[in-house]
Amino acid sequence: MLFDNFNMALSSIRSSRLRSFLTLLGVIIGVVSVITSVSLGEGVKRQISDETNKFGSDVLTVRPGKALNKDQKGLVVGINVFGQASTTAALTESDLGVAEKTNNVEVIAPLNLVTGLPKYNDRSFNDAVIIGTSTGFPKILSQDIEFGRFFDSTESEKKVAVIGAGVAEQLFGENVPLSKSFNLRGHEFIVYGVFERFKNASISQGIDFNNAIFIPYSTAKSISGGTAQFYELLVKADSPNNIDKVSADLEKRIANNRAGQEDFTILRANDTQTLTSTVIDLITLMVGGIAIISMLVGGIGIMNIMLVSVTERTREIGLRKAIGATNGQIMSQFLIEATVLSIWGAGIGVIISGLLNLGIRIFTNLQPVIQWEVVVFACGVSIIIGIIFGLAPAVKAARKDPIDALRSGL
Amino acid sequence: MSVIKLQDVSKLYGFGDATTVALEDVELEIEKGEFVAIMGPSGSGKSTLLNIIGLLDRPTAGLYQLDGRSVEKLRPNARAKARRDKIGFVFQSFSLLPKLKVIDNVALPLAYKGRLLGRRLKMAHNMLERVGLADRAFYLPSQLSGGQVQRVAIARALINDPSIIIADEPTGNLDSSSSRLVMELLKEIHEMGNTVLMVTHNPELTRYASRVLYMYDGSIERDIQKRIGNIARKPKEPEFFAPDGSEEDTLQSVAATMTLSEEKEAAKKTKPKKQRKTKRTPKKRVKK
Ligand SMILES: Nc1ncnc2c1ncn2[C@@H]1O[C@H](COP(=O)(O)OP(=O)(O)OP(=O)(O)O)[C@@H](O)[C@H]1O
Ligand SMILES: [Mg+2]
């Protein structure tokens, strides 16, 4: 009998496809947003943790602006979600200078963004990011150069560049454009090396290193009008054990240098992770909440269509009762129908989520991760909602008086 | 033991001044194997009587025994099960579920009984064979003619081997030839020992019945045993409402009409019953 009810439910859903689909939109949107938001959040978290792990536990990141509130022990106690990075002054060369004098620092790489469109013959590459940095950069990132080499300290004033794999393909149209030259802001730069492809596209600052052109920061300074403004300093300690010491020392020195103003933040690998994880969790929670509301609305939709269906099928109910259906059998028929409806909704939602996930992976550098627990949870919730909201119509159907139902004009 | 036994059964609708008496003190016994046809003008309470006998409706007053067991105290689910097991319905229209295939329609009562799918389909197939529609088993009701639909409905009514088949104007929507096919089927079923109770407006169809009830204004006015194959003559109305005659008068007038009918034997048989029936006062008529 269960099986028959199931089949009947399917056929009655099929017979009014459009109506069923519209009814299910709430459930579908709910399932899609739960799955997509959680998997996006999870994917971004993993990407960031991969990226920061790549930095290693002996690397500190200094950024302008106060992003984190920490207590005396250095634990993060608060986050400024809307950071004032834009209103605070960038890090300067003199900040770099004092940072370099800090004890137990092995190497520092400043990062400095330069605007400009690189041109090679007739080609140009709009998505290119030009970063001024120092010779220590590949070491801090533990990133190998695939072809050629990185510029050394004797070349810090020269117009030389090391490029990401994306730039090689997009700007030069070949994999190994060594010693070719391109034009940037009217200056000719020579390609010294090509980075191995960065596995995890850096997204923390919205920059994909595969599309980056790295030039010495002094050169960057001279072609962009004399001052160097760093958006980040990467500081590698000589040993992971000294990281606390270096962090404290660095903080004191830079604060001193900036006239006592603590308008900068020193992050450790796991701090960056905490920061982004907390923000992502918050966003996931918000979207998840909206999704649950959407599912509830979907449940009301199911209740509505089932009530309509019970009214439309009053004669059917009467006939079924006349030939011996008990109240329980009528009720289970309509309850199963509501449940099947919500299972459909969940199924369609899962499929759309899968496609969306694929689309995001193809068209952005985000890599959402669909976890089966989330899929099960979303489907479970929508099915439970189907049952709960299907209950009232099912009871209404079961309680119909057989003779009144048979007489109904429908 | 009678299959159906009604004692003083009444059904009222509404209350106060708006009260309608759909059935008034109906006494009726139907024995196993009878083919009873009910006739009477529209609104005389035929369907109401059938619905009460079919356990779809409850009487306002009176006693009802089905298969020797009193059904007043049955709860809705027990009534549903009694309908499933003891009663087979054939309605005038919308007899089948439009979304189910013919065979599934026939098997539906078995499904509600909890029979397994394989057995259900086998029994339903046998039943369809009996009504001559085995080749239409996998059609949808919308692909059948009106007469075929009613024959499928009869197959379904029979599937649980019920104590009584109840048919409310089963041929009401059919032309005369499909109507004949359906009636021949009911006749066959009756000949196999089933009890049939049928409402009809067509006097021709009383030919198939072994007994004819005439209803008027919520009461059974006449109850005639007759031979199958003959058509019962429709009684002329005035005979019921002869102005205040003695019992003898009434009896005579009844006897007179009976002699007119081709059914002299039957008239004799019914005489004693008619005596009781004709006791009604004409007052009620005035009331209406
Ligand atoms: N649900 C109801 N509410 C009020 N009155 C009703 C209801 N059902 C039936 N009646 C009344 O009961 C009386 C008998 O109705 P019933 O349907 O039994 O007549 P019938 O003999 O079957 O007529 P027909 O030949 O037209 O089918 C009618 O006067 C009708 O108006
Ligand atoms: Mg009727």
Side-chain angles (χ1 to χ4, degrees):
Chain A
M1 200 64 229
L2 266 177
F3 181 72
D4 295 281
N5 282 338
F6 203 78
N7 277 340
M8 264 170 327
L10 281 181
S11 76
S12 85
I13 290 168
R14 250 181 265 132
S15 69
S16 50
R17 251 177 263 248
L18 180 65
R19 194 170 81 173
S20 307
F21 177 75
L22 291 177
T23 305
L24 290 175
L25 269 183
V27 172
I28 293 171
I29 292 171
V31 169
V32 170
S33 38
V34 165
I35 294 178
T36 309
S37 65
V38 174
S39 57
L40 256 179
E42 189 60 29
V44 170
K45 270 196 249 172
R46 286 191 194 181
Q47 272 174 280
I48 284 172
S49 93
D50 285 350
E51 188 188 321
T52 45
N53 286 347
K54 180 183 63 195
F55 281 177
S57 54
D58 53 356
V59 175
L60 294 169
T61 310
V62 185
R63 284 183 194 162
K66 198 87 193 137
L68 295 183
N69 299 324
K70 295 189 187 183
D71 62 9
Q72 284 91 342
K73 288 185 208 123
L75 291 171
V76 178
V77 293
I79 292 169
N80 302 322
V81 177
F82 307 103
Q84 312 94 346
S86 52
T87 64
T88 51
L91 296 163
T92 61
E93 240 175 313
S94 92
D95 291 325
L96 175 63
V98 298
E100 270 167 344
K101 289 195 196 87
T102 310
N103 296 328
N104 299 101
V105 167
E106 189 184 330
V107 60
I108 293 187
L111 298 177
N112 165 14
L113 284 177
V114 179
T115 53
L117 186 63
K119 290 190 192 114
Y120 170 68
N121 296 342
D122 294 340
R123 304 164 74 115
S124 62
F125 183 30
N126 284 318
D127 289 342
V129 186
I130 296 110
I131 298 174
T133 186
S134 67
T135 54
F137 180 75
K139 186 166 189 197
I140 290 175
L141 259 69
S142 316
Q143 180 75 11
D144 289 335
I145 310 283
E146 195 167 17
F147 307 105
R149 59 175 181 85
F150 208 73
F151 43 83
D152 61 32
S153 47
T154 64
E155 292 154 344
S156 64
E157 305 281 338
K158 288 189 176 170
K159 295 191 173 97
V160 296
V162 177
I163 59 178
V167 179
E169 288 157 17
Q170 304 285 330
L171 182 62
F172 295 95
E174 58 175 298
N175 287 330
V176 198
L178 289 183
S179 37
K180 301 238 159 108
S181 64
F182 63 91
N183 187 291
L184 181 67
R185 290 177 156 234
H187 304 272
E188 289 293 315
F189 281 78
I190 297 172
V191 177
Y192 268 31
V194 180
F195 269 113
E196 205 172 62
R197 187 168 281 282
F198 289 85
K199 274 190 224 74
N200 297 285
S202 164
I203 57 154
S204 58
Q205 298 284 307
I207 295 168
D208 183 349
F209 284 162
N210 286 318
N211 290 342
I213 296 174
F214 300 92
I215 58 176
Y217 71 88
S218 306
T219 313
K221 189 176 81 175
S222 68
I223 66 164
S224 60
T227 57
Q229 304 215 313
F230 304 120
Y231 76 88
E232 198 165 272
L233 298 181
L234 299 176
V235 181
K236 186 173 162 65
D238 55 6
S239 143
N241 299 330
N242 290 330
I243 197 84
D244 286 338
K245 198 167 153 264
V246 172
S247 173
D249 208 4
L250 206 55
E251 188 164 354
K252 216 182 291 161
R253 280 168 184 267
I254 297 179
N256 256 337
N257 189 49
R258 294 170 82 87
Q261 250 188 307
E262 290 209 23
D263 57 352
F264 61 94
T265 310
I266 299 180
L267 298 165
R268 291 181 212 182
N270 53 356
D271 277 345
T272 343
Q273 230 169 306
T274 319
L275 173 67
T276 33
S277 292
T278 318
V279 174
I280 287 164
D281 284 347
L282 205 71
I283 294 168
T284 307
L285 210 66
M286 263 165 56
V287 178
I290 294 166
I292 297 286
I293 291 171
S294 166
M295 281 194 198
L296 282 177
V297 173
I300 293 168
I302 288 177
M303 179 148 93
N304 183 43
I305 201 178
M306 288 309 294
L307 285 172
V308 171
S309 168
V310 167
T311 309
E312 276 178 356
R313 286 154 68 187
T314 302
R315 277 219 72 161
E316 173 188 332
I317 295 166
L319 187 58
R320 285 176 181 275
K321 285 198 156 188
I323 62 176
T326 60
N327 290 358
Q329 283 165 332
I330 296 290
M331 186 164 133
S332 70
Q333 180 194 337
F334 281 90
L335 208 49
I336 286 170
E337 206 166 307
T339 312
V340 168
L341 210 56
S342 61
I343 290 175
W344 261 103
I348 295 173
V350 170
I351 291 169
I352 293 178
S353 304
L355 294 176
L356 211 59
N357 175 39
L358 210 65
I360 291 172
R361 275 169 180 269
I362 292 172
F363 296 110
T364 73
N365 59 7
L366 300 176
Q367 283 156 14
V369 179
I370 293 187
Q371 292 161 291
W372 66 267
E373 293 98 325
V374 178
V375 174
V376 169
F377 171 80
C379 293
V381 169
S382 62
I383 290 165
I384 288 170
I385 280 176
I387 293 173
I388 291 173
F389 283 90
L391 209 57
V395 167
K396 188 183 169 201
R399 288 215 182 129
K400 279 199 186 293
D401 182 56
I403 192 72
D404 290 345
L406 271 174
R407 272 213 207 95
S408 91
L410 284 161
Chain B
M1 184 189 63
S2 323
V3 178
I4 305 286
K5 186 171 182 194
L6 299 181
Q7 285 171 284
D8 283 331
V9 165
S10 301
K11 178 74 185 180
L12 308 177
Y13 286 110
F15 43 84
D17 288 343
T19 307
T20 313
V21 184
L23 286 180
E24 191 174 353
D25 298 333
V26 170
E27 301 272 337
L28 179 64
E29 273 189 55
I30 296 175
E31 303 296 327
K32 186 166 164 42
E34 283 192 290
F35 190 140
V36 183
I38 303 180
M39 298 207 37
S42 186
S44 56
K46 305 181 294 295
S47 297
T48 307
L49 179 62
L50 248 57
N51 291 336
I52 286 172
I53 291 175
L55 294 174
L56 288 171
D57 211 351
R58 289 171 185 271
T60 315
L63 301 177
Y64 173 19
Q65 288 186 328
L66 173 61
D67 274 344
R69 240 176 273 143
S70 174
V71 297
E72 284 88 23
K73 293 212 168 62
L74 292 183
R75 305 184 62 85
N77 275 353
R79 288 167 71 87
K81 284 175 185 156
R83 284 196 294 271
R84 183 188 73 197
D85 297 335
K86 292 183 187 274
I87 293 165
F89 286 99
V90 182
F91 298 103
Q92 180 177 353
S93 58
F94 198 82
S95 294
L96 303 179
L97 291 177
K99 280 180 193 159
L100 293 190
K101 290 194 197 79
V102 162
I103 192 161
D104 293 324
N105 261 292
V106 174
L108 198 55
L110 295 173
Y112 285 130
K113 210 171 176 175
R115 293 276 178 273
L116 291 178
L117 186 66
R119 177 141 174 238
R120 257 157 41 201
L121 293 183
K122 196 164 164 248
M123 286 176 73
H125 196 266
N126 288 344
M127 205 48 82
L128 281 173
E129 237 157 33
R130 257 173 75 180
V131 303
L133 286 171
D135 55 333
R136 297 286 191 278
F138 296 98
Y139 282 43
L140 285 172
S142 56
Q143 298 165 318
L144 299 183
S145 74
Q148 287 170 332
V149 166
Q150 290 305 69
R151 277 151 68 201
V152 173
I154 292 169
R156 183 186 59 205
L158 284 170
I159 196 116
N160 267 330
D161 192 20
S163 308
I164 187 163
I165 307 263
I166 292 179
D168 196 346
E169 300 183 45
T171 60
N173 287 347
L174 305 179
D175 61 34
S176 58
S177 64
S178 344
S179 172
R180 243 187 72 107
L181 271 175
V182 169
M183 287 314 298
E184 290 296 329
L185 180 60
L186 280 175
K187 179 181 154 201
E188 242 176 75
I189 286 162
H190 172 234
E191 279 164 0
M192 283 184 290
N194 288 292
T195 314
V196 181
L197 179 57
M198 173 186 79
V199 167
T200 180
H201 280 289
N202 185 352
E204 286 279 318
L205 302 186
T206 57
R207 172 199 309 278
Y208 298 92
S210 65
R211 180 179 170 191
V212 183
L213 305 178
Y214 289 95
M215 291 194 71
Y216 195 87
D217 239 4
S219 301
I220 297 175
E221 291 297 341
R222 271 173 63 176
D223 184 345
I224 306 171
Q225 301 283 343
K226 61 173 269 293
R227 199 166 62 208
I228 293 169
N230 293 335
I231 298 171
R233 174 74 66 85
K234 189 176 191 261
K236 303 254 177 321
E237 283 203 6
E239 77 194 57
F240 290 100
F241 317 107
D244 275 357
S246 68
E247 216 171 287
E248 250 72 18
D249 287 351
T250 327
L251 228 156
Q252 263 170 10
S253 73
V254 169
T257 36
M258 285 299 137
T259 359
L260 280 176
S261 91
E262 305 144 66
E263 204 51 72
K264 285 176 191 161
E265 278 169 294
K268 269 181 223 150
K269 244 196 266 173
T270 9
K271 256 187 216 163
K273 273 192 182 157
K274 287 323 296 173
Q275 272 181 318
R276 194 188 67 217
K277 284 290 155 196
T278 45
K279 253 187 233 159
R280 74 202 304 285
T281 55
K283 228 164 76 195
K284 190 180 169 198
R285 181 72 177 143
V286 178
K287 191 170 68 188
K288 183 111 198 243

